[in-house]
Amino acid sequence: MIYFTADTHFFWSAKRGIRPGTLMVGERTFASVEEKTEYLVSQWNSTVGVEDEVYILGDFSDGTAADTAALLQRLHGKKYLIIGNNDHYLEDPSFPQELFCWTKTYYELLTRGTKFVLFHFPIEVWSGYGYDRVHLHGHIHRLQPVVEPIRRYDVGVDANDGTPVSLETVWNRIEPLHNANRVMQNGQS
C-alpha cells in the first residue's frame, strides 16, 4: 500500500525547549518529546507494513542526523522524502541518505489514473490543476485535511491523528471533488 504523512517534527522540543501546551499533534498534547515520539511511532507502525511505501511530505525531524537516523530505522515501510523547510539533518554529511529511497523537493506520482503532485508547501494552482489532478502537502498544521471543495489534501499528522494516511483514504475523500468547484476572490473559478 501507499501512505502519506508530513510534519511529524520529531525532536522538535528537544531542539527548541519544551513550552507548556506546545508539544502537540492535532489537538493531542504531550508531556515530553519521548511521549510524542512513541505515540507517532506507534501510529505509524500500527498502520504501515514493512513492504508499504510512505511518502513523507517534509518536516520529518528537527533532530540531529544521528537521532533522525535511529528513528527512521524504527519505522516500517520504504520511505521517500519530499524535503521540508525543517529537514536540516540532511545537511549533516554523517546522515545515512540511504535510509530514504530518495529525497526530492517536489514529485509527481502517477497512480489511480491521475497525477498526485507532492510538495511540502500547499500550492494554489498546481501542475494539472485544470485537469482535476491532485495536490498533497503538509506545512500548515491544519486540523482538517480538506478545507476547500478541491483536490488538495493536507497529509500532515495534525489533520490525521498522527497517522500516515493511505492513498485509498485520500482518494475516497477527494475523488468526488473537482478543482473547478473553487470560487476565487473575484468570483471566477
Side-chain angles (χ1 to χ4, degrees):
M1 287 189 65
I2 296 175
Y3 293 92
F4 306 95
T5 193
D7 304 315
T8 49
H9 287 282
F10 286 108
F11 309 108
W12 181 80
S13 288
K15 180 178 175 182
R16 295 183 171 91
I18 296 174
R19 296 185 304 269
T22 62
L23 193 54
M24 300 177 71
V25 172
E27 295 180 351
R28 190 182 303 264
T29 304
F30 299 93
S32 68
V33 172
E34 295 77 20
E35 181 184 2
K36 176 189 169 202
T37 297
E38 291 312 310
Y39 173 75
L40 289 172
V41 168
S42 174
Q43 293 291 87
W44 183 301
N45 286 341
S46 66
T47 302
V48 176
V50 176
E51 294 300 315
D52 291 335
E53 296 180 305
V54 183
Y55 291 87
I56 304 164
L57 275 56
D59 289 0
F60 176 73
S61 172
D62 293 285
T64 65
D67 288 341
T68 303
L71 181 69
L72 276 164
Q73 292 173 351
R74 293 181 59 197
L75 298 172
H76 294 169
K78 300 171 188 169
K79 298 165 222 46
Y80 303 84
L81 178 68
I82 301 295
I83 301 167
N85 54 304
N86 288 298
D87 292 311
H88 300 295
Y89 58 91
L90 294 170
E91 299 164 7
D92 186 329
S94 71
F95 179 76
Q97 300 283 336
E98 65 274 7
L99 291 174
F100 292 113
C101 295
W102 51 248
T103 61
K104 301 175 185 278
T105 56
Y106 173 97
Y107 184 66
E108 294 180 357
L109 175 67
L110 301 175
T111 187
R112 297 268 174 163
T114 194
K115 180 191 306 182
F116 286 74
V117 174
L118 312 182
F119 192 55
H120 176 62
F121 302 99
I123 306 170
E124 278 299 309
V125 178
W126 51 91
S127 175
Y129 175 88
Y131 298 102
D132 263 352
R133 302 306 191 249
V134 179
H135 172 42
L136 305 181
H137 67 89
H139 186 68
I140 54 179
H141 298 270
R142 287 189 174 143
L143 298 179
Q144 296 295 320
V146 177
V147 296
E148 291 182 88
I150 59 174
R151 289 185 168 185
R152 181 170 60 194
Y153 195 102
D154 184 344
V155 300
V157 294
D158 295 301
N160 297 287
D161 197 31
T163 304
V165 61
S166 70
L167 173 65
E168 288 73 22
T169 298
V170 171
W171 186 248
N172 289 339
R173 179 77 186 268
I174 63 169
E175 194 269 335
L177 304 177
H178 303 284
N179 294 335
N181 292 343
R182 174 188 253 177
V183 177
M184 300 292 206
Q185 294 286 4
N186 62 5
Q188 299 176 355
S189 57

